[in-house]
Amino acid sequence: MTTTNDTAPDAPTMRAISQDAYGSPDVLTEVRIPRPSPGPSEILVSVRAAGVNPTDWKHRANSLFLNRLPLVLGWDVSGVVEEVGFGVTLFKPGDEVFGMLPYPHGVGSHAEYVTGPARAFARKPAGIDHVQAGALPLAALTAHQALVDTAGVASGQRVLVHAAAGGVGHLAVQIAKARGAHVIGTASAPKHDFLRGIGADEVIDYRSVDFTEATGDIDVVLDPLSGDTRARSLDVLRPGGTLVSILPGGSPQEAEKAARLGVRVETLLVEADHAGMGAIADLVDKDALRAHVEASFPLAEAAKAHESGETGRVTGKLVLVVGEG
């Protein structure tokens, strides 16, 4: 069902997926709301596709960082520049762009139009379509900021990626391989061929094998899971190694253990990043990075995308298709 928010009779509107309460996927409703206008240093993007990430369904269910309603979710964007605000020099109307809205408060891409800082975007690689591009920003930036900016992965290093077939994980595998690393991924056995196909050198079935016994002497661990996985990952790091987690966790005991082992532990919150998006676009252009899109859904079926994501069985990414082109 589509509802209409109050707006001036002649003001332009747009379709969006909004929620007036926190809860299950059925709180998501297609509405018509006022179309935004770009402010200084912002661009207005006509959204063609927008990824759906675990942070979307987590924010749908609970307030977390965004204690405000009504709420339009979505941080991933791929689309066409409709209008530019004062001071923007990077883009012009008609340019194809992709990027991540500033996390967490810049949310709102699950709509026909969205505004965001021009420097949160980069030009969309010509070799992929908007669905592919819309799947990349948040997950790829997370992987890039964890492996490259934070851990400084270098050629010849050993990198362990947990949940390696997931949204962040499968992109992290490719980014680490592009930097010349030896990549080990954990995933259930049915996903091992997929991981080998995107470059993993070794795969570990976390359901039947204890990764702390199956590997060691690791330079960098990327942990999208936290909890027990984060705690035990310290045991496989070599002295001087780095664990990067993308979920909250840790304890005084963990810090003491890390200091004793001589390893570094970091918790990363992804940031909007023009340079990072440019690096991701470059990897795409070199055919070193591709998002695996398990399924795409029309904007109106956002609730189905959330339901699919919450099964925990998705390989790669889910995407909402918003506009044509």
Side-chain angles (χ1 to χ4, degrees):
M1 182 179 73
T2 301
T3 61
T4 304
N5 289 11
D6 292 338
T7 188
D10 297 328
T13 63
M14 65 179 185
R15 293 186 303 129
I17 300 299
S18 183
Q19 62 185 92
D20 294 321
Y22 299 106
S24 61
D26 60 12
V27 302
L28 299 174
T29 305
E30 184 179 321
V31 299
R32 292 206 72 90
I33 59 176
R35 194 180 85 179
S37 297
S41 301
E42 290 186 335
I43 59 175
L44 174 68
V45 178
S46 175
V47 181
R48 299 295 195 261
V52 182
N53 296 287
T55 191
D56 289 296
W57 52 81
K58 291 175 183 177
H59 279 89
R60 184 212 71 230
N62 299 284
S63 59
L64 299 180
F65 296 129
L66 301 174
N67 189 18
R68 66 175 190 258
L69 294 170
L71 176 63
V72 176
L73 290 167
W75 286 270
D76 284 337
V77 185
S78 183
V80 179
V81 177
E82 186 83 5
E83 186 180 346
V84 301
F86 175 77
V88 174
T89 60
L90 291 179
F91 306 113
K92 303 297 181 187
D95 288 342
E96 293 189 318
V97 297
F98 74 142
M100 187 193 81
L101 301 174
Y103 187 88
H105 300 292
V107 67
S109 68
H110 293 171
E112 290 182 300
Y113 294 89
V114 72
T115 57
R119 291 185 177 272
F121 295 86
R123 293 186 183 274
K124 181 184 78 65
I128 59 173
D129 61 19
H130 284 292
V131 172
Q132 268 278 323
L136 282 167
L138 188 149
L141 276 179
T142 300
H144 192 272
Q145 290 172 9
L147 297 177
V148 180
D149 298 345
T150 303
V153 169
S155 180
Q157 289 189 323
R158 288 167 58 83
V159 175
L160 173 63
V161 179
H162 289 299
V168 171
H170 86 291
L171 299 173
V173 168
Q174 296 172 71
I175 290 170
K177 283 302 296 181
R179 296 182 70 81
H182 180 92
V183 182
I184 304 157
T186 67
S188 61
K191 298 181 179 180
H192 286 190
D193 286 345
F194 166 75
L195 289 177
R196 293 188 185 97
I198 62 172
D201 297 288
E202 299 179 43
V203 288
I204 298 171
D205 182 359
Y206 70 90
R207 292 176 175 172
S208 61
V209 177
D210 183 345
F211 72 88
T212 65
E213 297 178 359
T215 191
D217 197 29
I218 300 295
D219 294 282
V220 178
V221 175
L222 176 57
D223 170 33
L225 303 171
S226 197
D228 178 65
T229 300
R230 171 175 170 146
R232 295 191 300 125
S233 290
L234 296 178
D235 296 323
V236 302
L237 284 168
R238 66 164 183 80
T242 302
L243 166 65
V244 185
S245 177
I246 63 172
L247 289 176
S251 65
Q253 292 77 18
E254 177 190 273
E256 291 171 5
K257 182 177 180 180
R260 184 173 70 252
L261 295 173
V263 300
R264 175 185 171 207
V265 179
E266 300 286 357
T267 300
L268 173 79
L269 189 66
V270 66
E271 299 178 66
D273 181 0
H274 172 68
M277 287 305 306
I280 289 162
D282 186 55
L283 287 171
V284 172
D285 286 336
K286 292 176 178 177
D287 203 26
L289 184 66
R290 284 290 187 276
H292 173 78
V293 178
E294 176 160 303
S296 61
F297 302 81
L299 179 64
E301 296 182 4
K304 290 184 179 179
H306 280 234
E307 289 170 357
S308 179
E310 286 184 305
T311 66
R313 296 192 293 270
V314 172
T315 299
K317 291 295 302 292
L318 303 172
V319 177
L320 296 181
V321 179
V322 183
E324 298 180 358

